């Protein structure tokens, strides 16, 4: 029988212990924001793609080639002598080397450089138009209704997911083993509370904190990178809380048996590392081969990231992320059951 007063007092005690730990506060609040700053600056919105730099090898036809490309804003054209042109291309100061004539052009491109392939497409299109090609279709270019989602827009929900993962495993699991190693749990055995009340209080004490952490990262993305939340805020707060419960439950399960900090550190790294690498926090999970997908879909962070991006970027409601929510609820219940089954006080 769970007693609300006991749960409340235990949760308050855990919160006080957290706020007394300066290291925990710094790693929970400052580190995720620092990651958002560094990665956002590295991969943030950079506006339109810059012009492709094209070097035309000096020859009798060089002026005609340059004239054929001169009116294209996406191209920056220079004419250099043979050796100078070769050196500019080799040193990366040009994406494409052009020679020949407008009717028989020769393009040197590097297939390993994406910018070189882009330059090839731009130059080929300009030369074909100059040779008299007519485009039979007028193609309208439109952006998505919610705006284009660049790397930073997809990164912010991923960082929130990673923060929730770390807060659950280290904030709950590490703290639990630390209490066991210091023999604090042995003293709590005689307290008027049950095992389920104690573990549930640990889990509940982190939910408010993880929501605050998640909102901090999200607000940073909104004010710094113009991120727009397309979905409903109450649903987003619910996803934050459920995700915090998922990883807090996992932290309880992982820390239910180890007696030492060294022992639980290895188990926690084993639980965290695959999720850092495979769950799409930094790039889409579809980049992994098909034989990796069953493992990817088994990990809870995959569904946390999908739910967060579904609400923040795509504006989904409960129905749109229903499968992710159902999986996370089931994973939370399973983790708490395993923690309750295998937990020991000493």
């Amino acid at each position: 029988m769970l007693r609300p007063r006991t749960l409340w007092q235990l949760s308050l005690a855990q919160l006080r212990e957290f706020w007394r730990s300066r290291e925990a506060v710094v790693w929970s609040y400052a580190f995720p924001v620092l990651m958002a700053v560094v990665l956002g600056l590295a991969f943030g919105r950079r506006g339109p793609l810059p012009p492709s730099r094209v070097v035309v090898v000096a020859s009798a036809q060089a002026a005609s080639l340059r004239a054929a490309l001169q009116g294209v804003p996406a191209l920056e054209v220079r004419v250099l002598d043979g050796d100078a042109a070769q050196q500019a291309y080799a040193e990366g100061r040009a994406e494409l080397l052009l020679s020949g004539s407008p009717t028989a052009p020769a393009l040197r491109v590097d297939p390993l450089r994406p910018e070189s392939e882009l330059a090839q497409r731009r130059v080929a299109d300009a030369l074909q138009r100059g040779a008299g090609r007519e485009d039979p279709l007028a193609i309208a270019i439109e952006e998505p209704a919610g705006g284009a989602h660049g790397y930073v827009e997809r990164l912010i929900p991923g960082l929130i997911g990673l923060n929730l993962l770390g807060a659950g495993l280290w904030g709950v699991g590490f703290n639990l083993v630390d209490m066991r190693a210091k023999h604090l749990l042995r003293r709590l055995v005689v307290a008027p509370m049950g095992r389920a009340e104690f573990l549930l209080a640990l889990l509940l004490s982190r939910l408010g904190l993880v929501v605050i952490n998640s909102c901090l990262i999200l607000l940073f993305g909104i004010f710094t990178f113009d991120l727009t939340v397309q979905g409903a805020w109450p649903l987003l707060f619910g996803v934050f809380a459920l995700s915090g419960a998922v990883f807090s439950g996992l932290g309880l399960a992982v820390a239910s048996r180890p007696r030492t900090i060294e022992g639980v550190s290895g188990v926690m790294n084993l639980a965290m590392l695959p999720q850092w690498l495979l769950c799409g926090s930094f790039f889409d999970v579809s980049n992994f081969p098909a034989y990796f997908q069953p493992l990817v879909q088994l990990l809870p962070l995959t569904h946390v990231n999908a739910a967060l991006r579904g609400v923040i970027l795509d504006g989904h409601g409960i129905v749109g992320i229903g499968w992710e929510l159902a999986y996370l609820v089931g994973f939370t219940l399973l983790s708490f059951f395993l923690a309750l089954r295998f937990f020991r006080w000493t």
Side-chain angles (χ1 to χ4, degrees):
M1 183 66 181
L2 296 177
R3 292 161 290 186
R5 180 176 175 79
T6 301
L7 284 176
W8 175 250
Q9 293 300 327
L10 286 171
S11 299
L12 285 180
Q14 294 298 325
L15 283 173
R16 294 189 189 103
E17 184 177 353
F18 171 80
W19 287 112
R20 290 185 186 124
S21 175
R22 296 180 180 177
E23 296 84 356
V25 173
V26 169
W27 282 99
S28 296
Y29 290 94
F31 182 68
V33 173
L34 180 61
M35 286 188 64
V37 171
V38 174
L39 293 174
L41 292 176
F43 301 102
R45 291 180 177 175
R46 305 184 182 210
L49 293 174
S52 298
R53 297 169 296 179
V54 179
V55 169
V56 179
V57 179
S59 68
Q61 298 292 331
S64 299
L65 282 171
R66 181 170 186 172
L69 304 178
Q70 198 65 43
V72 181
L75 296 176
E76 180 184 299
V77 185
R78 292 181 297 162
V79 178
L80 297 176
D81 293 334
D83 292 340
Q86 296 285 352
Q87 185 176 1
Y89 179 74
E91 293 177 352
R93 291 184 283 112
E95 284 78 46
L96 184 141
L97 193 65
L98 179 61
S99 59
S101 66
T103 56
L107 282 65
R108 179 177 296 181
V109 298
D110 185 350
L112 299 181
R113 294 169 57 188
E115 64 275 12
S116 185
E117 183 178 355
L118 175 62
Q120 174 190 351
R121 293 176 182 274
R122 287 172 168 175
V123 169
D125 182 72
L127 292 176
Q128 294 286 4
R129 288 173 182 270
R133 187 194 72 188
E134 295 184 1
D135 298 326
L137 296 177
I139 301 176
I141 307 298
E142 298 180 357
E143 286 192 359
H149 300 321
Y151 180 74
V152 170
E153 285 79 4
R154 296 189 60 82
L155 173 67
I156 295 297
L159 288 180
I160 294 174
L162 289 178
N163 178 63
L164 291 166
L165 172 66
L169 284 175
W170 290 103
V172 174
F174 186 87
N175 182 52
L176 182 59
V177 176
D178 186 57
M179 294 174 68
R180 185 180 292 121
K182 294 178 179 178
H183 306 293
L184 297 177
L185 294 183
R186 181 179 298 177
R187 301 177 184 178
L188 294 176
V189 174
V190 297
M193 65 177 178
R195 177 185 302 181
E197 290 173 324
F198 175 69
L199 295 179
L200 189 58
L202 276 175
L203 189 148
L204 293 176
S205 67
R206 291 297 184 267
L207 294 188
L209 295 176
V210 298
V211 172
I212 295 174
N213 289 10
S214 303
C215 289
L216 184 64
I217 301 174
L218 181 61
L219 291 174
F220 179 83
I222 290 173
F223 290 111
T224 306
F225 301 113
D226 297 324
L227 178 67
T228 301
V229 177
Q230 303 294 332
W233 282 88
L235 177 59
L236 183 58
F237 291 148
V239 174
F240 288 161
L242 177 57
S243 303
V246 169
F247 297 125
S248 295
L250 181 59
L252 291 176
V254 167
S256 59
R257 303 295 291 179
R259 290 190 174 97
T260 64
I261 298 300
E262 294 78 10
V264 75
S265 296
V267 180
M268 284 189 177
N269 286 323
L270 184 63
M272 291 184 66
L273 186 58
Q275 299 191 72
W276 269 78
L277 298 177
L278 302 178
C279 293
S281 294
F282 301 105
F283 45 81
D284 196 85
V285 296
S286 61
N287 290 318
F288 292 107
Y291 56 82
F292 258 97
Q293 293 302 322
L295 175 59
V296 170
Q297 297 302 320
L298 187 64
L299 300 173
L301 184 56
T302 299
H303 300 277
V304 168
N305 288 336
L308 291 173
R309 288 179 177 133
V311 177
I312 296 174
L313 302 181
D314 302 324
H316 290 328
I318 294 179
V319 176
I321 58 172
W323 161 242
E324 285 78 13
L325 296 180
Y327 185 89
L328 295 177
V329 169
F331 196 95
T332 302
L333 295 175
L334 176 62
S335 298
F336 190 78
F337 171 78
L338 293 175
L340 193 61
R341 172 66 177 82
F342 295 105
F343 176 77
R344 61 184 175 191
W345 295 97
T346 59

